[in-house]
Amino acid sequence: MAALPKSPPHGSAFDVDKLTSEIFSILENKFLFGYDAPNFAAPKPQPGKLAAGKVRILSIDGGGATDGVLAAKSLVHLEASLRRRSGDPNARIADFFDVAAGSGAGGILAALLFMRRKDGGEGGATIAAEEALRFLIRRRKASRGRLFRRGWPGGRAEKKLLREAFTDELTMRDTVKPVLIPCYDLESHAPFVFSRADALEMDACDFKLSGVCAATMAERPLELRSVDGRTRLVVVNGRVAMNNPTAAAITHVLNNKQEFPFCNGVEDLLVLSLGNGGSDFEDPSRSGFARITEDGASATVDQAVSMAFGESGKHNYVRIQANGVAARRQGLANYKKTRDLLESTEEMLAQKHVESVLFQGKKIGERTNIDRLELFSGEILREEERRKTSILPTVVLKRSSPHSPRTSSSTSLSISSSV
């Protein structure tokens, strides 16, 4: 079929139905069988055309049985692989990703791994994944394992941990790469995403990192103001709004042409999405149903993203999530000892991975979660090496000096193909 049929005469219901049927037939053929018509075919790369590379995205779920520990352990394994394969014993997660998004405990993990340290010098050295894991374990002990019943911040010990990790001087501007952390704004009745890109544009969108992390974990309404006091939010945790922020991170990259000028579709992305273990489906309480809802929302995002990537998802999109067996056997969120939790997360990582398949729902794959992390480390290292010889910049980061005045004019662009 070379062209769409002509419009039918006005008032002809039969012809309208026929036209609709033919349009959907074309779209269905394009989607399922790669139907190639001039009006519908995606542009193909021209021979010899310079490639701009792939933007590397890290996304971390908020909910789950492991309080963020499964995601943190995944990143510990990934960082160890990156160090071994790159030959750099000081390699950090933030060195190999261009964007990070995290909700709830995942937001805290993203903030920890991508914040600029005061002693980091001009480059803003970041912390290791193992150090971030230790922080989450300390937080869990401080909350006495009652995250879902009390929320965070809930007590003095937890608030003290926040102040220790994120001093008052640190704001969203003080992350070394773009970071996205969602919460739910009770006044606008809509999700609100804290964004480094927005923070660099204006003070009204810049918030203290300690406040951002408190907001994405808050089980009770929390008032938050921007650094200039002009923006006021009344928020609750990010898991309510966006338990799995992968889709938000992808949308941010595809629409942020200032920082990602040559990223036009999912074929230009490398995405790692980390879950935190399944919830207790036998828990009849209200909080149990809330966690089930979070799981369902995360799975829906995973399904949609998997379908968007299609065949390229085998290499470009990796989702790490437990299949629930190990989590249920250990009693889910009621781990009594940290050692039990760590052992269970290792068991989850040793499971065969679960993947979404077009029109077939979920299925168990052949590789373990650890295997997939190892393979993904190879993909992002190849991208790192490719950038060293590329002319076109994959990422053009907005930068702002830590000591510059807090105005939008202090923002500059740093163009580098090796970013």
Side-chain angles (χ1 to χ4, degrees), residues 17-32:
D17 290 342
K18 183 179 178 182
L19 172 64
T20 302
S21 177
E22 290 190 22
I23 291 174
F24 275 96
S25 177
I26 291 171
L27 295 174
E28 183 180 55
N29 276 290
K30 169 64 183 170
F31 181 64
L32 293 177

Side-chain angles (χ1 to χ4, degrees), residues 18-324:
K18 183 179 178 182
L19 172 64
T20 302
S21 177
E22 290 190 22
I23 291 174
F24 275 96
S25 177
I26 291 171
L27 295 174
E28 183 180 55
N29 276 290
K30 169 64 183 170
F31 181 64
L32 293 177
F33 309 114
Y35 171 77
D36 198 6
N39 292 336
F40 289 89
K44 295 180 175 62
Q46 299 298 318
K49 185 179 178 181
L50 292 173
K54 292 180 170 61
V55 177
R56 302 163 299 186
I57 297 174
L58 172 63
S59 175
I60 312 171
D61 282 15
T66 65
D67 295 357
V69 174
L70 176 59
K73 286 290 287 185
S74 299
L75 291 170
V76 168
H77 282 284
L78 179 63
E79 192 171 81
S81 176
L82 290 169
R83 289 176 176 180
R84 184 181 70 255
R85 298 175 75 149
S86 68
D88 181 1
N90 297 313
R92 298 282 193 265
I93 290 295
D95 299 334
F96 296 96
F97 285 93
D98 306 305
V99 180
S103 181
I108 293 159
L109 196 49
L112 285 169
L113 292 170
F114 285 80
M115 70 176 178
R116 180 184 287 111
R117 305 188 85 170
K118 285 198 286 186
D119 57 351
E122 192 173 335
T126 53
I127 69 172
E130 186 70 48
E131 190 174 345
L133 171 62
R134 287 197 296 270
F135 179 87
L136 289 184
I137 291 172
R138 287 176 61 207
R139 185 220 60 79
R140 193 171 185 278
K141 290 178 178 178
S143 66
R144 300 175 187 174
R146 293 182 292 179
L147 175 63
F148 292 113
R149 289 190 289 275
R150 292 177 56 210
W152 187 30
R156 285 188 225 173
E158 293 170 302
K159 291 176 182 177
K160 182 180 178 183
L161 280 176
L162 271 180
R163 288 195 298 270
E164 287 177 1
F166 309 104
T167 64
D168 283 342
E169 290 79 17
L170 291 173
T171 73
M172 285 298 295
R173 289 176 53 170
D174 295 311
T175 53
V176 296
K177 302 280 181 70
V179 170
L180 305 168
I181 300 176
C183 65
Y184 187 83
D185 181 21
L186 294 172
E187 296 204 329
S188 64
H189 303 288
F192 182 89
V193 180
F194 299 101
S195 166
R196 174 187 183 270
D198 293 338
L200 286 171
E201 287 298 320
M202 60 184 71
D203 292 346
C205 292
D206 193 15
F207 295 81
K208 292 181 179 179
L209 273 175
S210 58
V212 170
C213 290
T216 199
M217 288 294 293
E219 295 290 337
R220 296 181 295 275
L222 175 70
E223 182 176 334
L224 204 64
R225 289 187 179 272
S226 58
V227 293
D228 65 356
R230 286 187 292 169
T231 304
R232 175 183 174 272
L233 303 171
V234 179
V235 302
V236 290
N237 66 67
R239 302 196 319 271
V240 171
M242 206 178 293
N243 192 44
N244 180 347
T246 305
I250 290 173
T251 303
H252 175 81
V253 170
L254 293 178
N255 289 283
N256 183 353
K257 293 303 180 184
Q258 265 195 307
E259 296 186 293
F260 312 103
F262 300 106
C263 188
N264 298 309
V266 294
E267 66 277 2
D268 299 323
L269 302 174
L270 286 173
V271 180
L272 175 62
S273 176
L274 301 177
N276 273 306
S279 296
D280 189 352
F281 288 86
E282 297 178 359
D283 181 357
S285 68
R286 187 171 183 274
S287 61
F289 281 114
R291 294 199 294 274
I292 292 170
T293 302
E294 291 170 2
D295 283 357
S298 289
T300 300
V301 171
D302 171 45
Q303 181 80 8
V305 172
S306 296
M307 298 309 99
F309 273 87
E311 285 299 310
S312 67
K314 292 179 179 178
H315 304 287
N316 290 18
Y317 172 65
V318 170
R319 171 73 173 170
I320 303 296
Q321 175 67 308
N323 62 30

